[in-house]
Amino acid sequence: MDYITEGLTPSRVFKNFEDISRIPRASGNEKQVSDYIKKFAEDLDLKVFQDSNYNLIIKKAATNGRPDGCTVMLQAHIDMVTESTENSDHDFEKDPIDLIIDGDIITARDTTLGADNGIGVAYIMSILESKDIIHPNLECVLTTSEEFGLIGVNNMDLSSLKSEYVVNLDSEEDYCILTGCAGAVDSTISLKKEYKPANTKNVALEINIHGLLGGHSGMDIDKQRGNANVIMGRLLNSITHDFDLFYVNGGSKRNVIPRSAEAVISVSDKDLEKVVREIQKTAAKAHKEIYSVDPNLKVSLRRSAPADFKVFSNDCKKKIIRLLNLIPDGVISMSNSLEGTVQTSTNFAVVRESNTRIDFINMTRSSMKSEKELLKSKLAMLAEIFNASIEFGAEYEAWEYNPNSKLEKIAIDAYEKKFSKKPEVAVMHCGLESGILLNKLNHKAEAISIGPNIFDVHSPDEYAEISSIGMIWDYLIDLLKTI
């Protein structure tokens, strides 16, 4: 079998990453890749446990001559976010990720790369198959549906594990050791659809928002990029002439800043040109406001066949537009104790129609529980005002910083010895599984999170630095040797 990564260092890491990149591993569709890794470990005569959610626990005995010494958990998630460009025909249910090497960059053609968290998985697989790496007793935990709200880890039984230290491999900055993360909760505001007959003399106008960068709703939320759902609400609210609305949709996943949205309205032929000018004028304002951070916003308008079917009632239309404009989005507050760190945010992620309702899906993150609860109450009040229902789910608490962590000191010392400089130590606004893992163990343990430089995650522009992947691999090997 030919490998596009042949010749890259560390060779076993890139080979394992390319192998799992050939296997579909969208959140909720991890059986095939989980079975592959399970067989990979069984072929190495390692102890493997696979649960009903396809989470894996793989144990490997110490190679440092201390079988009665400490136990370390290495942890990563095997699923990936599946985003593609507008013109891509990639089928994430069956197609392999098409890897591209460009100098020091590894990326994918027209899709997310899956380095989040495939590189972490490849690190673990490479340590499991190694015969020359010195390490303590290892409990390797590979989880599923992390990108769907940490579902896999939340449903794991870890009561039999003995790990004193947890090394999560799901970070994206090689200069930083993470020692905490925000908690999060999803919310879905559901508005019941109400219809009226369409005016058959009207013409339909399709509104498409595209070209936005999107990105990870935790890592990129502070970049103030455009949100397609928010922009759509603004465009619809700017129309001063009478119009009907019969379709609206935007975004794709709860943890992805929405890059595109579409709506279809109908207007009288005599007002069409005026409505188009109003939309274009508002689109130009939005483009100017975000140009420095998100320069490629495009709003496409296309006249289509006359409307001859039912449209939303006036009251329902008004509620939809107001919800699009009033649902919180972006940075809510910054930390007072950690300079430059987002404390609370909300990603207005998805607008989606079903047969009977319209769902407005949001993901709220916060490292302060009281602020997360405050946002939940505000969203609940907003739903009540519009006579809509609201449902909360996929909630998890923050991984709180431990100022007395022994593992943090070990990790900092090993980093400084390896690279002759101190790492940055930070609390992340993204969600990591470390806090849940610590809570599920039947004993007190400590955790850190590390990883190589990965950029534009959760978007088709995702890429990773090859040299950084090697750097963190070398550091991880030294860290395991030190513990």
Side-chain angles (χ1 to χ4, degrees), residues 12 43 61 125-126 141 160 176 215 252 261-262 353 389 420 424 426 470:
R12 67 178 67 162
D43 288 346
M125 293 173 68
S126 301
V141 175
S160 64
C176 186
S252 60
E262 56 264 355
E353 291 191 36
S389 63
S420 301
E424 181 179 317

Side-chain angles (χ1 to χ4, degrees), residues 92-158:
F92 285 103
E93 295 294 313
K94 62 180 182 180
D95 295 339
I97 301 299
D98 188 1
L99 300 179
I100 299 172
I101 308 298
D102 183 7
D104 192 39
I105 298 302
I106 182 168
T107 186
R109 193 179 312 279
D110 297 331
T111 69
T112 37
L113 171 64
D116 171 17
N117 190 210
I119 294 298
V121 175
Y123 282 158
I124 292 173
M125 293 173 68
S126 301
I127 291 170
L128 290 174
E129 70 177 340
S130 71
K131 297 180 180 178
D132 56 352
I133 294 173
I134 298 172
H135 59 73
N137 295 308
L138 296 178
E139 295 175 330
C140 299
V141 175
L142 298 168
T143 57
T144 57
S145 295
E146 189 269 355
E147 302 290 5
F148 266 9
L150 291 79
I151 293 173
V153 69
N154 269 311
N155 288 285
M156 285 191 81
D157 180 4
L158 303 179

Side-chain angles (χ1 to χ4, degrees), residues 257-307:
I257 300 169
R259 296 181 293 123
S260 62
E262 56 264 355
V264 183
I265 65 173
S266 69
V267 298
S268 66
D269 192 53
K270 69 179 180 63
D271 288 335
L272 178 62
E273 187 176 341
K274 298 172 187 175
V275 169
V276 167
R277 283 201 300 267
E278 287 178 329
I279 294 172
Q280 290 174 333
K281 185 176 180 180
T282 303
K285 290 178 182 178
H287 185 265
K288 182 178 180 180
E289 290 164 5
I290 66 172
Y291 181 79
S292 62
V293 294
D294 210 343
N296 297 316
L297 166 65
K298 293 179 176 60
V299 177
S300 302
L301 304 175
R302 187 173 76 91
R303 176 175 173 166
S304 57

